[in-house]
Amino acid sequence: MDSPFGLLAELTYRCPLACAYCSNPLNMADYSAELATDEWRRVLAEAGDLGVLQCHLSGGEPLLRRDLAEIVAEAHDLGLYTNLVTSAVGLSRPRAEQLRAAGLDHVQISIQADEPAISDRIAGTPSWRRKIEAMGVVKELGWPLTVNVVLHRNNIDRVAGVLELAEEVGADRVELANTQYYGWALRNRDALLPSRAQLRAAEVVVRAARERLRNRMDVIYVLPDYYSRYPKPCMGGWASRQLTVTPNGDVLPCPAAQSLPLPRASVREDTLERIWAESPVMTAFRGTDWMPNPCRSCDRRELDFGGCRCQAFQLTGDAARTDPVCHLSPDHGLVAKAVEAANADSRADALPLIPRPHGVRPSPRTPTAAPRRR
């Protein structure tokens, strides 16, 4: 594709939760100078001109932006389909009604488990009951509701209960997504990676639920990369379908690409159109010409595009390497070793998790006007 159809607008990395699987950057202080309301308006207008059709409003927790309704209204006026990706902490009825009036199209709420104590422990703060209440408000106001659950060793055995909960709240879609190991999640990988036995049991439950709920609720199950024979086509190919704008205005081909040693591109310094077409961060791994072997000579090179560049960099130190998830990668042993450890008979069922620090207090107030240049 010549232009992206999806924009992930990461409005803030501040968040009331402390999930140990968080994939947001470890250095959140680098993103404290958040884009102002008028800057987001310009970004949305440029995204629409570029061909973007869908706008996913995410974070961190986007509800911490006081101007969220203004941003939603701008996106709505531009004809963009808007999806709020939220923990639902702070989604009160008055706030929800405000967003409904602004034109918000869809709500995705995350939950950590089907049972309050487990969910709150994983989230690092009491939040389960507020999430359930918010799901009720979403359905009462007539929004489509997606329930998202990040699966890992500590909650994958609760899949049946999660599906029952999603059915009870009237979810239109449930996403069961195994953890992606970036950011804080990579630090906690040994405690998060499930065993083969856990995955087999979960897949049986998911298959049965898909059959039973076929005409009532979409059930999406995302397999863990580490157990796949081939890597996933990250974002449908590097800088081919979607782009991400971070809270401070950096533009990336995917949410994790800030970890790569590539030149920075910012909406505070250039237009989205030029960044998309010309910036090194977008062109570095676009297409297939950059590929080394075995990717270059592989029949799947235009199916999975060599896998995830961020994962390759984090595991090997070289973003141009074949994703080690692939069984053909010369670095596959790095992944195989982690999988072997997750399935070791001597391993404890629950290793301690390192919670991500809460990301609310240290950040400044959201600006409503662009900062002055010096």
Side-chain angles (χ1 to χ4, degrees), residues 115-148:
E115 198 276 332
I118 298 174
S119 184
D120 291 348
R121 174 174 59 81
I122 295 171
T125 189
S127 53
W128 188 88
R129 296 195 183 282
R130 280 179 286 177
K131 290 172 179 286
I132 301 303
E133 291 170 2
M135 291 177 192
V137 171
V138 166
K139 294 305 296 183
E140 288 172 17
L141 292 180
W143 271 309
L145 170 65
T146 293
V147 173
N148 174 269

Side-chain angles (χ1 to χ4, degrees), residues 67-85:
D67 58 352
L68 178 59
E70 296 175 63
I71 294 172
V72 168
E74 182 69 18
H76 176 74
D77 290 346
L78 290 166
L80 303 178
Y81 183 89
T82 51
N83 173 35
L84 178 65
V85 183

Side-chain angles (χ1 to χ4, degrees), residues 17-352:
L17 306 187
C19 304
Y21 55 77
C22 182
S23 61
N24 281 340
L26 300 177
N27 56 330
M28 291 207 301
D30 291 352
Y31 300 88
S32 59
E34 297 175 1
L35 293 179
T37 312
D38 56 347
E39 289 178 303
W40 275 115
R41 287 195 180 103
R42 176 172 57 80
V43 168
L44 293 172
E46 291 181 1
D49 290 342
L50 192 57
V52 166
L53 301 175
Q54 301 173 355
C55 178
H56 305 277
L57 302 162
S58 182
E61 176 46 68
L63 287 168
L64 291 173
R65 291 279 304 214
R66 298 181 181 181
D67 58 352
L68 178 59
E70 296 175 63
I71 294 172
V72 168
E74 182 69 18
H76 176 74
D77 290 346
L78 290 166
L80 303 178
Y81 183 89
T82 51
N83 173 35
L84 178 65
V85 183
T86 177
S87 70
V89 175
L91 189 60
S92 62
R93 177 174 285 276
R95 192 77 188 280
E97 290 175 345
Q98 181 189 41
L99 293 170
R100 194 74 170 111
L104 184 68
D105 293 300
H106 183 277
V107 179
Q108 174 180 311
I109 296 178
S110 66
I111 197 163
Q112 284 67 36
D114 61 307
E115 198 276 332
I118 298 174
S119 184
D120 291 348
R121 174 174 59 81
I122 295 171
T125 189
S127 53
W128 188 88
R129 296 195 183 282
R130 280 179 286 177
K131 290 172 179 286
I132 301 303
E133 291 170 2
M135 291 177 192
V137 171
V138 166
K139 294 305 296 183
E140 288 172 17
L141 292 180
W143 271 309
L145 170 65
T146 293
V147 173
N148 174 269
V149 186
V150 178
L151 297 178
H152 45 80
R153 192 177 189 92
N154 295 263
N155 68 358
I156 195 169
D157 299 328
R158 311 287 307 188
V159 164
V162 166
L163 287 164
E164 290 177 8
L165 175 63
E167 190 176 2
E168 288 174 9
V169 299
D172 301 279
R173 175 186 173 100
V174 59
E175 294 180 354
L176 305 168
N178 275 276
T179 302
Q180 301 292 304
Y181 295 104
Y182 311 111
W184 215 258
L186 184 61
R187 289 195 176 186
N188 279 296
R189 185 185 65 183
D190 291 346
L192 293 171
L193 190 62
S195 67
R196 288 190 181 90
Q198 287 181 302
L199 290 172
R200 283 195 296 266
E203 287 167 7
V204 170
V205 172
V206 170
R207 281 198 300 270
R210 279 177 172 163
E211 182 64 27
R212 181 172 60 83
L213 300 169
R214 180 180 298 175
N215 298 318
R216 286 184 286 157
M217 184 172 70
D218 290 333
V219 179
I220 310 302
Y221 182 62
V222 181
L223 292 170
D225 284 1
Y226 280 43
Y227 285 93
S228 300
R229 185 171 173 81
Y230 297 103
K232 297 182 180 69
C234 184
M235 308 301 291
W238 185 273
S240 66
R241 299 182 182 180
Q242 302 190 50
L243 75 163
T244 296
V245 177
T246 68
N248 69 343
D250 286 351
V251 185
L252 303 167
C254 78
Q258 78 282 114
S259 64
L260 301 185
L262 293 170
R264 178 175 169 269
S266 173
V267 296
R268 283 176 166 156
E269 299 168 1
D270 213 337
T271 65
L272 268 188
E273 181 180 17
R274 193 149 52 195
I275 291 171
W276 176 260
E278 302 174 10
S279 66
V281 72
M282 291 294 171
T283 60
F285 303 109
R286 185 178 274 156
T288 60
D289 290 345
W290 62 270
M291 290 182 176
N293 279 319
C295 294
R296 180 180 292 273
S297 57
C298 182
D299 291 340
R300 294 179 57 86
R301 64 185 176 277
E302 294 187 4
L303 294 177
D304 56 38
F305 302 100
C308 178
R309 299 301 87 223
C310 303
Q311 190 157 255
F313 178 72
Q314 290 191 343
L315 294 180
T316 73
D318 183 355
R321 300 280 286 183
T322 298
D323 187 339
V325 161
C326 182
H327 76 287
L328 299 173
S329 166
D331 305 303
H332 183 64
L334 297 171
V335 170
K337 184 177 180 180
V339 169
E340 181 181 359
N343 288 276
D345 292 339
S346 60
R347 194 192 131 156
D349 285 339
L351 298 177

